[in-house]
Amino acid sequence: MCGISGAVLETGDVGPILYDSLKRLEYRGYDSVGEAAVVNGRIVVKKDVGKIDQVERQLRISDLPGNIGIGHTRWATHGAPSQENAHPHTDCKGTVAVVHNGIIENYMELKQELESKGHVLKSRTDTEIVAHLVEENLKRQFGFVDAVRQAAKRLTGAYALALICANEPDKIVCVRKESPLVIGVGISANYLASDISAFLPRTKNAMLLEDDEMAVLTCDRIRVMKVETGEEVTRKPFGVEWSVETATKGGFPHFMLKEINEQPLTVRNALRTQPIYLELMASAMNRAKRIFLLACGTSYHACLAASYAFANLAKVGVTPVIASEFIDAYGALIDSDTVVLTVSQSGETADTLTAVRGAKDRGATILGLTNVMGSTLTRLSDVYIGQNSGPEMGVAATKTFTAQYAVLIKIVVALARKRNTANPKDLQRLEDGFNHLPEWISTTLSTQDDNVRRIVQKNSDKGSFCFLGRGVSVATALEGRLKLLELSYLPAIAYPAGESKHGFISVVEEGYPVLFVAPKDEAYPKIIGNVMEMKARRAQVLSLVEGDDSQVASLSDETIQMPNGIPPPLTPIVFIVPLQLFAYRMAVTKGYDPDFPRNLAKSVTVH
Ligand code: AGP
């Protein structure tokens, strides 16, 4: 998730306008920044690695002259943060410049095609291929607008693109597919950006682009057309009521609620991980004699959940380990036949990095899964994958949990295929399930948030809660508990449901709230007994059940309805959503700040 912006003015320089808009988009990505403009018939680019203020001090990007330009603030997905990988990117001759937010899935094959035609690509990004594709079309005598349209028709994935061309210095062309892109309608000026907050100080009139549409902006006109056919589309601008702060939060009151609602897109982005990296990870794991999944906090819960699928589908025993205990517990077993798959959204958690260094010293192979390209974990890893969730502003991890777990399951599928250990039907059901995940999450968000809010209202006076699950839902229960604990400061408990009768049950008294995570998977028949045990002690049973559930639902005081038929290994990705909402609503109900809970930091860089 990056931030893109653009401006075309009748008079004046775009430098300060682009700089200001990028400052407002900085929450979308802040590892590198750049601007490009057409100046005296030539494309001028200013870009570098680092936060906006830092790059401004070095390059004075706000001084960029010219009345037409594009800008970008980056959250690396392909290619670590560097000056070469910073946007804007240009073609071989520097005639075209492009900025991009999203993921171009088929960039590898397009890159090979362009290199076979003699193009030289300067960066490791997916984005740069767009500039060269447009260059190819300009060579074929297409005008700039059609050259971009023809190039866009060849791309797959998610993208918001903005381009300028030295040959036609009066227009910006932008294209949208899935990634957000909005146009600002000005007077003798027009703007574009990843979100409205970027140009709100200049105009409160906006225009949305739909998927597979493109727009041509000049200083006094905006043309919208369909990418596929080039057919013009009439689009009416609308007035924006939001403040800049609200716009930055996408209209949500807190970053956490915005990030919970981003999950349909961020899970889809995570599932777009390039097969080559999944293959590299699966090969390393297939060669290993011992495999550990290493992490802290929420990332550890993603590892714990994935350990079930590694065993059941890939028939590989992996040991999920809390990083601060790793070397003490397993140091003696680690050697060159050991693989350590390390998961950390920040890539900077001290406990995790220390454990990784300890394992490296003992000869282990390090695989990394992180949300921050260029983080220390990526530098310590032999192979790493970026999970493409974009910056997570809320301290409580939400969208990064579901994205991490989605990538881990993709690795399981790659390993199971390599080892030929899974029933093809199960793998196919899982692949089909991947495609349904965004819709299952959206359905849960739209149908259950009010229900969760009502249950929270009813229980906001409770002093403690317990979360129970069986099988992979043990991890979902633990993660739900962590969210409530870190945001509402309530001493919440979580247990494997089967284990609850070996101790926890002594705590249960009339009305004590017990949340059951109860998808209809292999563990379902057994969890019914656990629900009855709690009911027998007059607990208040709150259950997450599939829509057509009758047994657990009939035993429960409250139910949260989940979509039917989610393949069991994928249930943590959907069933965690109402538990994230539960914690968020409880924090807000208690008057706590859900974005910045006390005593916690987004990245724990101390031991
Ligand atoms: C989760 O909401 C917390 N922010 C915390 O437990 C976090 O998951 C943990 O510190 C690990 O962070 P990492 O994924 O960045 O390594």
Side-chain angles (χ1 to χ4, degrees):
M1 184 165 103
C2 306
I4 73 171
S5 72
V8 52
L9 318 173
E10 186 172 55
T11 57
D13 290 330
V14 287
I17 293 173
L18 292 176
Y19 171 71
D20 181 56
S21 66
L22 294 174
K23 281 292 289 173
R24 295 175 194 289
L25 293 171
E26 197 168 19
Y27 75 93
R28 300 179 62 84
Y30 37 75
D31 61 44
S32 43
V33 65
E35 297 180 5
V38 180
V39 183
N40 306 328
R42 270 182 344 98
I43 297 263
V44 175
V45 176
K46 286 189 173 189
K47 64 176 186 175
D48 207 344
V49 69
K51 288 200 162 187
I52 296 178
D53 291 342
Q54 200 186 331
V55 175
E56 169 64 2
R57 279 192 298 280
Q58 287 148 10
L59 299 179
R60 305 288 313 157
I61 53 176
S62 61
D63 291 352
L64 193 66
N67 67 322
I68 181 166
I70 52 179
H72 186 271
T73 180
R74 186 169 190 238
W75 184 262
T77 58
H78 294 76
S82 68
Q83 200 276 345
E84 299 76 36
N85 291 335
H87 298 209
H89 291 285
T90 57
D91 61 323
C92 297
K93 296 200 190 69
T95 310
V96 174
V98 60
V99 292
H100 166 226
N101 167 36
I103 299 161
I104 297 170
E105 284 177 29
N106 61 337
Y107 88 98
M108 285 269 201
E109 68 204 62
L110 292 170
K111 186 175 179 191
Q112 278 141 16
E113 177 194 315
L114 287 162
E115 285 173 338
S116 69
K117 290 182 178 160
H119 287 264
V120 177
L121 281 86
K122 304 177 280 300
S123 76
R124 296 173 60 85
T125 66
D126 51 344
T127 305
E128 189 186 345
I129 56 121
V130 178
H132 294 271
L133 281 175
V134 173
E135 179 182 18
E136 272 299 302
N137 295 333
L138 291 173
K139 276 191 213 151
R140 293 163 53 205
Q141 305 315 315
F142 281 104
F144 176 40
V145 175
D146 270 334
V148 173
R149 192 167 71 81
Q150 296 305 329
K153 284 167 69 171
R154 303 211 49 207
L155 306 177
T156 62
Y159 43 85
L161 298 162
L163 299 95
I164 53 175
C165 177
N167 307 350
E168 299 185 32
D170 64 331
K171 59 179 68 74
I172 299 176
V173 178
C174 58
V175 185
R176 180 193 176 182
K177 184 173 176 52
E178 280 189 32
S179 292
L181 186 58
V182 59
I183 292 168
V185 185
I187 297 161
S188 308
N190 286 313
Y191 311 91
L192 65 90
S194 298
D195 79 46
I196 288 169
S197 66
F199 53 66
L200 214 46
R202 286 171 221 294
T203 176
K204 288 201 173 293
N205 295 317
M207 193 187 275
L208 281 179
L209 270 193
E210 303 298 339
D211 272 353
D212 301 312
E213 288 184 346
M214 59 190 288
V216 180
L217 278 61
T218 56
C219 63
D220 56 6
R221 187 167 174 226
I222 298 166
R223 290 166 49 211
V224 178
M225 60 192 77
K226 293 204 171 306
V227 170
E228 194 51 41
T229 59
E231 173 205 339
E232 297 259 347
V233 177
T234 311
R235 184 63 37 81
K236 283 216 166 345
F238 59 91
V240 181
E241 305 308 319
W242 288 347
S243 69
V244 170
E245 200 223 341
T246 310
T248 308
K249 291 177 181 154
F252 291 96
H254 299 100
F255 280 114
M256 182 181 178
L257 190 59
K258 174 177 176 270
E259 286 153 4
I260 291 173
N261 282 275
E262 275 176 16
Q263 293 179 103
L265 178 66
T266 48
V267 165
R268 186 180 286 135
N269 281 347
L271 295 170
R272 286 191 168 111
T273 300
Q274 294 285 324
I276 183 171
Y277 300 116
L278 299 170
E279 188 47 42
L280 286 171
M281 290 232 178
S283 304
M285 296 177 94
N286 197 32
R287 286 192 301 273
K289 287 214 177 57
R290 197 173 290 111
I291 302 173
F292 296 98
L293 304 186
L294 181 70
C296 298
T298 290
S299 298
Y300 168 73
H301 294 146
C303 293
L304 176 64
S307 67
Y308 288 79
F310 274 108
N312 297 329
L313 284 167
K315 306 289 185 283
V316 170
V318 301
T319 310
V321 189
I322 289 176
S324 52
E325 288 304 315
F326 184 43
I327 299 301
D328 296 342
Y330 299 99
L333 303 179
I334 302 167
D335 59 21
S336 57
D337 292 327
T338 303
V339 161
V340 179
L341 173 44
T342 308
V343 179
S344 170
Q345 88 84 22
S346 63
E348 300 297 350
T349 299
D351 288 337
T352 304
L353 298 179
T354 301
V356 165
R357 291 190 179 97
K360 268 178 97 68
D361 295 348
R362 290 165 174 79
T365 299
I366 306 299
L367 308 178
L369 171 54
T370 183
N371 191 36
V372 183
M373 300 291 271
S375 60
T376 306
L377 177 58
T378 60
R379 294 196 292 278
L380 290 172
S381 300
D382 300 292
V383 180
Y384 65 85
I385 288 178
Q387 63 183 70
N388 306 325
S389 307
E392 187 169 60
M393 306 306 281
V395 166
T398 53
K399 64 177 181 175
T400 53
F401 170 72
T402 47
Q404 281 166 344
Y405 184 67
V407 175
L408 287 170
I409 294 297
K410 290 283 270 187
I411 297 170
V412 170
V413 170
L415 186 57
R417 287 202 192 290
K418 182 176 287 297
R419 295 165 55 80
N420 198 14
T421 50
N423 172 331
K425 279 211 196 75
D426 290 347
L427 286 181
Q428 191 49 51
R429 186 165 173 239
L430 209 48
E431 301 275 12
D432 298 345
F434 287 148
N435 301 328
H436 285 297
L437 281 171
E439 158 222 327
W440 283 328
I441 296 170
S442 301
T443 306
T444 303
L445 287 165
S446 58
T447 61
Q448 295 307 310
D449 192 13
D450 289 345
N451 184 25
V452 168
R453 193 198 307 254
R454 180 186 58 76
I455 296 171
V456 164
Q457 296 296 347
K458 191 176 152 205
N459 289 282
S460 58
D461 60 342
K462 294 289 188 305
S464 175
F465 291 80
C466 181
F467 296 72
L468 298 179
R470 294 186 79 112
V472 70
S473 298
V474 170
T476 312
L478 284 164
E479 177 55 14
R481 183 274 298 266
L482 176 59
K483 294 282 94 79
L484 185 66
L485 190 141
E486 65 182 319
L487 292 173
S488 69
Y489 318 143
L490 287 170
I493 300 167
Y495 260 82
E499 182 64 10
S500 62
K501 54 187 178 294
H502 301 284
F504 159 69
I505 201 162
S506 65
V507 171
V508 179
E509 56 194 10
E510 173 134 18
Y512 183 97
V514 180
L515 282 104
F516 278 92
V517 182
K520 279 192 171 175
D521 58 15
E522 305 81 4
Y524 181 78
K526 285 174 254 144
I527 208 161
I528 295 171
N530 300 127
V531 174
M532 295 170 85
E533 285 154 12
M534 293 302 148
K535 281 311 291 174
R537 278 106 187 137
R538 310 170 75 75
Q540 183 199 171
V541 171
L542 318 170
S543 301
L544 280 68
V545 292
E546 296 190 18
D548 61 1
D549 181 296
S550 56
Q551 298 181 65
V552 171
S554 62
L555 293 165
S556 304
D557 300 282
E558 295 282 359
T559 58
I560 295 170
Q561 306 272 324
M562 306 301 295
N564 294 324
I566 302 170
L570 299 183
T571 57
I573 294 176
V574 189
F575 275 66
I576 193 59
V577 173
L579 299 181
Q580 294 167 342
L581 290 169
F582 190 87
Y584 169 79
R585 297 279 171 217
M586 187 65 81
V588 171
T589 303
K590 288 179 175 293
Y592 300 139
D593 180 344
D595 283 343
F596 303 104
R598 69 187 187 199
N599 306 341
L600 288 175
K602 184 63 192 166
S603 179
V604 183
T605 53
V606 292
H607 289 100

